[in-house]
Amino acid sequence: MIHFHQINKHYGNFHVLKDINLSIKQGEVVVVIGPSGSGKSTMVRCINRLELVTDGELIVDGVRVNDKSTDINRLRRNIGMVFQHFNLYPHKTVLQNITLAPTQVAAMSKQEAEQAAMLYLEKVGIADKADAFPSQLSGGQQQRVAIARGLAMKPKIMLFDEPTSALDPETIGEVLDVMRTLAREGMTMVVVTHEMGFAKEVADRVVFMDQGRIIEEAEPAQFFTNPREERAQMFLSRILNH
Amino acid sequence: MKRWSKVIGISLAVALFVSALSGCVKQASEDEGTIAKIKKQGKVIAGVKYDLNLFGLKDPATGQVQGLDIDIAKQVAKKVLGDENAIEFMEVTSKTRIPMLKNGDIDMIVATMTISEERKKEIDFSDVYFTAGQSLLVPADSPLNSIKDLTKDSKVLTAKGSTSAKNVREAAPDAQILEFENYAEAFTALKAGQGSALTTDNALLYGMAQQDNNFRVLDETFTEEPYGIGIRKGDKEFAELLNDTLKELKDSGEYAQIYEKWIGKKPI
Amino acid sequence: MFIHFSVLTEHLDRYLIGLGGTVAASVISLIASFILGAIIAVFRITPVKPLQWIGTAYVEFFRNIPLMLIAFFVLVGLPLLTGAVLVPFVSGLTALTVYTSAFIAEAIRAGIQAVPKGQMEAARSSGLTYIQAMRHVIIPQAVKLVIPPLGNQFLNLVKNSSIFTILSASDLMYQADLINSDTFDTFSTYIFAALFYLILTIPLSFGIRHLEQRSQNVKGVEA
C-alpha cells in the first residue's frame, strides 16, 4: 500500500531523511517512534505530499506520489490525516468541518454528506456536538472531530502525526480509544506517537527513527522487550523510566 | 456609562483640536508699529517669492534670492536701518503671504501682489511700484492670439490665491480655470499638456518664456495690475515711509536702473 | 473669537461642492483600490515567482514614496512619457488608487498569511484544491483579520484625497483653498474644512469599530 524506496530529503543543507526504505501493507498499523527531530513527522507527511522528497521513489496506493502527472488531490482523497494541533476550521461548526471535503471534492450532496458525518461523529462518540464550534470543545473532543473529518472521505490510509501530543493527559485516552477501534476494523494506519502503551498494544510493527534514518523495524513485542540497536535501547530506557 | 465616556472623550478631542489651532495664531502686537518692530529686530523681514524669475528667484547655486522685488525690498531696509543688507527674506506664496503678514511672521510683502479692493479690507498697500498687465502664456505653435480666442474647451492654468483666476473668469467666462499651488506647478502642468494657456501678469510670463522658448507670451494684456508693497492694516507711519522711499528712488533714477536690469527695457 | 461663521454661511455652496468631490473621490478610489489591492495581494502570495516579484515591487515602490509625488507623476510624468493627459479629477483618482492599493494589498496579504499554516495543510490533505482551500478555509478566516487594518486604510484614503487640491481637482481641500483666497480668513476657512472632514470620517470611524466588534463576537473566531 505504501512503499518508500531510497527516499532522501534535504531542507537546504539539512539532510532530514536518509535512505528511507519502508513498505506498509494494507490493513497494517505502523507506529513510528523516535526522538524529536528524527524526521518521523516529515516521513509521514511525505506520504500525502505535504512534504516533497528530494530523491527516491515513493508509491502510495499504486501511484507515484512525486510524479508530475500525479493528480495529488485525487490521491489525497484516499489518505486521511490527523494533526498534532487538530487544525479544525475555527469558523465552521463540527458538522461543517466534516462535510467540507465530501461536498467539495467528492461531489456528495449536502444531505448525504451530513448523514455520513453524523455516523462518523457517533463513531467517535460526540454526535451531540455536531452544531458546536471547535473553540467550544475540549482538546480530546476536537481531536476526535479531526479523526471523523479524516474518515469522511472513506480513505484507504489514515495518517496520524502526534495526535495526542497537544492533549491534556485526561483526554488522551478517549482519542486512543477511537484509534484502537479503527485499527481493529482493519484501517491502514501510520502513527507518529510517543504513546508507548498504544504502540505495544495496537501496532503490527514499530519503526524507530533517529537522525533521519530508520534504525530499527520490529514487531512491538520484540522491540519493547529486546531492541537490537543501542540507540533504540537508550531511547526506550529514557522514555520508560522518566 | 460607556456612552458618557465616549461623549466626553470626543468633546475633549474637539476642544483640544480647536485650542491647539487657536494657539497657533500669533497675534502681532497691535500697539507696536512696524518701524519700531524692525528697529528692535535690527532687520527687515520681507516676504518674497522664491520661484519667480525676474522678481524673486532663489539661485540654487548661491542660495541668494534675486529680482526686482528683492531690489525694492533692500531699498526699504536701507531707508529704515541705513543698510540694504539688514534684511531677511522669507518665502511666501500667493496663499500664505497675507496670513503670514497678519501673524507678524513678516513685516511686508514684496511679492508681485496686485493692489485690490478686496485685499485692502485685510491689509494696507504702499503706492504702486510696478504696473503689470495680465496676459497668456501659450505654446509657441498655439493658435491662441487673444483672450477672446479662449473657448469652453480651453483650460487656463493659474495659481491659487491670485487675482489672475478672477480676471480671466471675467474676460473669458467660458474657459475652464485650473488653479495650482503655485506658478511653477502651473507651468509644469502646461508643459505636460494639462492646459492650453497659463495666465498671470505678463511680467512673470516673460520670465517663464525666457526659461523655455517653446512658449510665447501674447502681446495683448487684459488687465492692469498695479503691484504694491503689502503691510499690516492701519500702520500709517510705515506706509508713509514706504511711499517716501519709492518716490526718492524714482526721483533719483535708481528705480529706472532696477527696472531695466530685470525687465530689459526702460519704465514707461 | 477667531472663527467667523460668515465664512461658512457665505461659502456653503463651495464647501458642499468640495464635499461632493471628496465623497466621490473616496468612494471611487475605495472600490478601485480594493480590487487592485486584492489582485496585488494574490500576486504576493501566489507560488508563481514572477508574479510575486511584480507584487512585491508594486507594494514596496508605491508604499514607500509620498502620495504627492505619485500625484505629480500622474499629472506631469504620465503625459510626457505616454502622451496620455488625464483630467485633474482622474489624475487624482489614479494617484490615490495606486497609492492606497499598495497598503490594502499588504493588509490582505498579512491577513491571509496570519491564518495558521495548519489550516491550509488540513484542507489540502483532505483533497481540496488550492483554490477551494482558499475559498472555503483561508479567506473566511482572513476576512476577520483584515477588517481592522482595512478600515484604517479607508479612513486614510478619505483624508489622503486632499491631494486632489494640488492637481487642481475639485475636492474639499481645493474649494477651501479657493475660499481662503477670497476671504483671506485662513483660520476660519480651514476650521470649517476640518469640520467637513470630520463629518465624513467620524461616522466612518464608528462604523468600522462596529464592524470590528461584530466580527469579533462571531462564535468560533479564535483559532
Side-chain angles (χ1 to χ4, degrees):
Chain A
M1 177 108 315
I2 305 169
H3 302 281
F4 285 82
H5 184 68
Q6 282 299 108
I7 292 291
N8 277 278
K9 178 172 176 62
H10 300 261
Y11 281 125
N13 288 330
F14 182 45
H15 200 165
V16 203
L17 295 178
K18 297 170 188 159
D19 301 333
I20 300 290
N21 289 294
L22 180 67
S23 281
I24 297 169
K25 290 192 287 288
Q26 185 163 1
E28 214 179 352
V29 177
V30 172
V31 169
V32 185
I33 61 176
S36 55
S38 58
K40 42 190 202 306
S41 281
T42 309
M43 184 178 83
V44 169
R45 288 159 60 89
C46 286
I47 295 171
N48 64 353
R49 217 169 86 178
L50 284 185
E51 303 284 351
L52 292 168
V53 303
T54 314
D55 62 51
E57 192 173 51
L58 174 57
I59 299 173
V60 176
D61 194 22
V63 176
R64 282 173 217 274
V65 175
N66 289 288
D67 265 12
K68 281 222 170 84
S69 60
T70 298
D71 180 351
I72 190 63
N73 296 320
R74 193 174 187 86
L75 177 64
R76 282 172 176 164
R77 290 186 212 174
N78 296 326
I79 310 172
M81 186 158 193
V82 175
F83 300 86
Q84 180 178 1
H85 296 288
F86 331 137
N87 298 354
L88 294 179
Y89 312 132
H91 59 298
K92 291 186 179 293
T93 63
V94 164
L95 198 64
Q96 289 166 341
N97 261 275
I98 299 170
T99 56
L100 178 64
T103 52
Q104 293 300 320
V105 180
M108 226 185 260
S109 76
K110 193 179 166 219
Q111 202 188 4
E112 221 180 325
E114 284 182 353
Q115 277 171 2
M118 286 311 295
L119 285 179
Y120 291 114
L121 279 175
E122 270 159 34
K123 183 171 183 150
V124 300
I126 36 172
D128 54 322
K129 298 287 186 188
D131 295 320
F133 282 93
S135 58
Q136 296 165 318
L137 304 183
S138 74
Q141 289 171 327
Q142 289 192 51
Q143 195 60 301
R144 286 188 281 153
V145 172
I147 295 173
R149 180 175 67 177
L151 292 171
M153 293 295 286
K154 302 193 177 69
K156 297 178 184 166
I157 301 165
M158 281 291 283
L159 308 177
F160 293 84
D161 187 2
E162 304 205 23
T164 56
S165 300
L167 295 178
D168 294 333
E170 68 266 27
T171 65
I172 290 177
E174 64 197 47
V175 172
L176 292 180
D177 283 345
V178 171
M179 291 167 64
R180 218 171 267 131
T181 311
L182 270 183
R184 225 177 288 132
E185 290 170 1
M187 176 64 75
T188 309
M189 292 165 66
V190 184
V191 184
V192 176
T193 188
H194 296 291
E195 293 297 327
M196 296 304 145
F198 176 82
K200 256 185 233 175
E201 183 196 337
V202 181
D204 296 314
R205 204 162 12 133
V206 173
V207 171
F208 174 72
M209 288 183 74
D210 192 19
Q211 294 177 355
R213 275 183 209 286
I214 293 179
I215 305 293
E216 185 162 349
E217 228 187 293
E219 286 187 11
Q222 191 205 331
F223 180 82
F224 285 106
T225 50
N226 191 14
R228 277 194 314 272
E229 300 289 330
E230 197 186 338
R231 269 189 275 180
Q233 290 163 8
M234 275 175 57
F235 176 75
L236 282 177
S237 68
R238 224 180 306 140
I239 272 218
L240 298 173
N241 304 326
H242 74 115
Chain B
M1 188 61 208
K2 213 177 146 205
R3 180 158 306 220
W4 270 112
S5 64
K6 217 177 251 178
V7 170
I8 292 170
I10 290 170
S11 332
L12 269 178
V14 170
L16 208 65
F17 173 68
V18 171
S19 61
L21 273 180
S22 34
C24 296
V25 181
K26 249 188 298 170
Q27 282 303 93
S29 46
E30 300 281 341
D31 40 46
E32 186 186 71
T34 303
I35 295 175
K37 180 174 177 279
I38 289 171
K39 286 189 169 145
K40 211 156 96 188
Q41 292 166 171
K43 65 185 174 191
V44 180
I45 305 174
V48 298
K49 298 218 165 172
Y50 276 23
D51 59 355
L52 269 188
N53 199 7
L54 310 185
F55 284 83
L57 184 69
K58 189 169 185 171
D59 182 342
T62 62
Q64 295 287 311
V65 205
Q66 293 170 328
L68 187 142
D69 283 346
I70 306 303
D71 287 353
I72 299 284
K74 281 179 175 170
Q75 294 305 318
V76 175
K78 191 173 173 186
K79 176 80 177 177
V80 184
L81 297 166
D83 177 3
E84 65 167 42
N85 291 319
I87 188 160
E88 181 186 329
F89 295 109
M90 270 182 105
E91 185 182 11
V92 297
T93 64
S94 302
K95 216 165 106 182
T96 61
R97 56 193 174 189
I98 289 179
M100 281 173 78
L101 179 71
K102 289 170 96 179
N103 284 353
D105 294 329
I106 52 179
D107 299 322
M108 60 181 188
I109 302 168
V110 196
T112 60
M113 184 158 59
T114 304
I115 302 170
S116 74
E117 286 311 312
E118 205 155 25
R119 284 178 181 149
K120 276 186 186 167
K121 288 183 207 153
E122 303 286 324
I123 59 171
D124 281 349
F125 284 97
S126 72
D127 290 343
V128 177
Y129 71 89
F130 186 89
T131 304
Q134 194 171 333
S135 186
L136 299 178
L137 178 76
V138 297
D141 56 1
S142 167
L144 291 173
N145 275 312
S146 161
I147 181 86
K148 294 185 189 70
D149 296 342
L150 293 174
T151 65
K152 67 174 170 38
D153 295 325
S154 315
K155 288 179 185 163
V156 182
L157 316 181
T158 185
K160 282 172 195 159
S162 64
T163 49
S164 313
K166 235 166 261 157
N167 294 335
V168 81
R169 231 171 239 130
E170 279 162 24
D174 289 341
Q176 304 168 46
I177 317 288
L178 301 181
E179 300 184 45
F180 290 85
E181 295 299 296
N182 53 48
Y183 287 112
E185 270 177 36
F187 189 29
T188 312
L190 181 70
K191 287 183 195 167
Q194 295 282 357
S196 27
L198 188 159
T199 188
T200 183
D201 302 347
N202 55 359
L204 315 192
L205 297 179
Y206 283 122
M208 295 178 195
Q210 217 175 65
Q211 277 175 11
D212 187 337
N213 57 16
N214 292 317
F215 295 90
R216 63 186 168 89
V217 183
L218 300 192
D219 291 333
E220 176 196 66
T221 60
F222 52 93
T223 62
E224 194 167 88
E225 303 283 342
Y227 290 170
I229 301 173
I231 61 171
R232 274 182 285 276
K233 202 154 182 56
D235 195 340
K236 292 217 168 51
E237 191 193 9
F238 192 38
E240 270 167 34
L241 179 132
L242 291 177
N243 291 340
D244 288 349
T245 311
L246 291 175
K247 190 166 184 308
E248 284 164 24
L249 286 175
K250 277 183 185 154
D251 291 348
S252 69
E254 269 177 280
Y255 176 78
Q257 279 174 13
I258 294 171
Y259 189 103
E260 200 178 350
K261 171 177 161 197
W262 295 107
I263 307 304
K265 56 183 181 184
K266 290 195 187 329
I268 308 141
Chain C
M1 196 61 183
F2 307 117
I3 301 172
H4 302 111
F5 281 91
S6 57
V7 172
L8 178 65
T9 49
E10 278 167 31
H11 299 278
L12 189 62
D13 52 336
R14 285 158 91 173
Y15 276 119
L16 292 180
I17 288 170
L19 189 69
T22 295
V23 169
S26 302
V27 170
I28 297 169
S29 268
L30 188 145
I31 295 167
S33 57
F34 184 79
I35 295 170
L36 191 57
I39 293 170
I40 299 296
V42 168
F43 278 27
R44 292 268 282 159
I45 58 170
T46 166
V48 185
K49 286 276 177 217
L51 291 185
Q52 271 182 31
W53 295 330
I54 294 172
T56 307
Y58 184 93
V59 166
E60 293 308 330
F61 186 75
F62 288 115
R63 192 170 64 149
N64 292 312
I65 51 175
L67 174 56
M68 198 180 271
L69 272 183
I70 300 175
F72 270 123
F73 180 79
V74 174
L75 183 79
V76 174
L78 211 58
L80 292 179
L81 287 178
T82 67
V85 180
L86 303 176
V87 299
F89 200 78
V90 178
S91 298
L93 284 178
T94 307
L96 196 57
T97 299
V98 161
Y99 180 76
T100 309
S101 64
F103 288 89
I104 287 181
E106 261 319 85
I108 294 176
R109 180 201 60 75
I112 288 173
Q113 291 185 342
V115 175
K117 210 170 124 238
Q119 293 290 312
M120 181 56 106
E121 288 183 347
R124 293 304 307 274
S125 70
S126 70
L128 265 65
T129 62
Y130 180 79
I131 304 280
Q132 287 174 324
M134 273 299 198
R135 185 171 147 218
H136 295 287
V137 176
I138 306 299
I139 289 174
Q141 295 182 61
V143 164
K144 283 158 191 151
L145 300 167
V146 165
I147 284 175
L150 226 48
N152 283 333
Q153 287 314 319
F154 289 158
L155 265 185
N156 283 339
L157 182 139
V158 174
K159 293 183 286 173
N160 286 341
S161 68
S162 60
I163 49 115
F164 273 54
T165 187
I166 64 162
L167 305 175
S168 81
S170 172
D171 75 330
L172 198 44
M173 200 65 196
Y174 183 69
Q175 294 299 336
D177 283 345
L178 299 191
I179 293 168
N180 181 42
S181 62
D182 271 2
T183 61
F184 305 108
D185 192 341
T186 309
F187 186 66
S188 305
T189 304
Y190 290 110
I191 272 280
F192 293 125
L195 209 65
F196 280 108
Y197 275 108
L198 289 175
I199 289 173
L200 284 183
T201 50
I202 285 193
L204 195 58
S205 195
F206 277 95
I208 290 162
R209 196 164 308 159
H210 177 74
L211 212 61
E212 261 177 64
Q213 275 161 2
R214 222 182 51 176
S215 80
Q216 295 304 318
N217 290 339
V218 174
K219 275 180 187 165
V221 168
E222 310 80 15

